[in-house]
Amino acid sequence: LLEAIAVAYGFNAEGGSKNFLFSTAKTHSELHEDIIITKGPYRPEGSYFLRAESFYNLATEIDELDGGSGGLLGGYGGVSLHHQSHGEAFLALVRNRFKPRGLYLLDEPEAALSPMNQIALLRVLHDLAECGSQLIIATHSPILLALPDAEIMLFDEGGPTEIDYEETEHYRVTRDFFENQGLFLKHLLG
C-alpha cells in the first residue's frame, strides 16, 4: 500500500524524490492505478520516498547523477551514500533531505538501523512532525512505533484498524521476549 501511495503521488517506485526516474526492475504492483490522491491547500515543501529494499539502487543513482561534481551529494551530507554504513547512509539522507512541512513516505526504515540509530531516527521524525511534516511509515520497529501522537494502523484480514501502541504485535512480542527471555528461548529452542 505504501508503494502504491508513493507511485500514485508521483514518486519513483524504487525511492527518491519525484525527480528520480531510474528503474532497476518494474516489479511494483498496479495498485497505484486505483488510488486517488487528494491534496489540500498547502503544498509540501519537501517530499521523499525512502524504501529500504531498493536503497542501494537509489544510492547508485545519486552517485551517477552527481557524476563526481559533489553538487547533488551536497544534499545528502556531502559524502556518497555508498561510502557510509547502511545505517549512516539512511540517517544522512533523512537528516539532509527531509525538511519541515514536507511529505515523507518511509518503507521499513529500521532495516538498516541499530536500536540506537532507530532512536536517533525517532528524534528526527518527531522534530519533522512538530514542524508540520506528514510522515507515512511502514515499520515493524517497536521503537519507531513509539513516535508520540502517531496514528498506528494495523492492516490485516479485517481491513485497516487504528490501534494503540501497546496493542501492536511488535510491541507485545518485544516486551514478552525481554520480560521472559529464558522461558521464551527454552520454548523456542527446546
Side-chain angles (χ1 to χ4, degrees), residues 32-163:
H32 69 277
E33 296 173 5
D34 296 318
I35 291 182
I36 298 171
I37 301 291
T38 60
K39 299 177 183 178
Y42 303 103
R43 181 181 176 159
E45 294 183 20
S47 60
Y48 214 89
F49 177 34
L50 174 58
R51 185 173 194 168
E53 70 184 81
S54 54
F55 187 73
Y56 182 89
N57 302 342
L58 175 68
T60 300
E61 182 69 8
I62 292 167
D63 281 352
E64 288 178 9
L65 290 172
D66 182 74
S69 72
L72 183 60
L73 287 177
Y76 292 87
V79 178
S80 168
L81 299 175
H82 283 306
H83 295 149
Q84 303 174 57
S85 74
H86 199 190
E88 289 170 337
F90 263 48
L91 288 174
L93 183 145
V94 172
R95 286 179 172 144
N96 291 287
R97 288 285 301 171
F98 290 21
K99 304 296 180 203
R101 293 173 299 285
L103 170 65
Y104 304 106
L105 310 179
L106 293 86
D107 187 7
E108 298 183 347
E110 73 276 8
L113 302 175
S114 68
M116 284 303 296
N117 279 338
Q118 288 182 46
I119 291 169
L121 177 60
L122 182 68
R123 176 59 198 225
V124 173
L125 297 177
H126 176 266
D127 291 348
L128 286 166
E130 289 288 307
C131 292
S133 290
Q134 181 177 8
L135 308 162
I136 303 175
I137 306 168
T139 185
H140 300 285
S141 168
I143 294 171
L144 296 181
L145 284 167
L147 185 65
D149 300 320
E151 292 179 26
I152 301 173
M153 302 299 295
L154 170 67
F155 290 82
D156 62 11
E157 317 71 56
T161 308
E162 187 172 356
I163 62 172

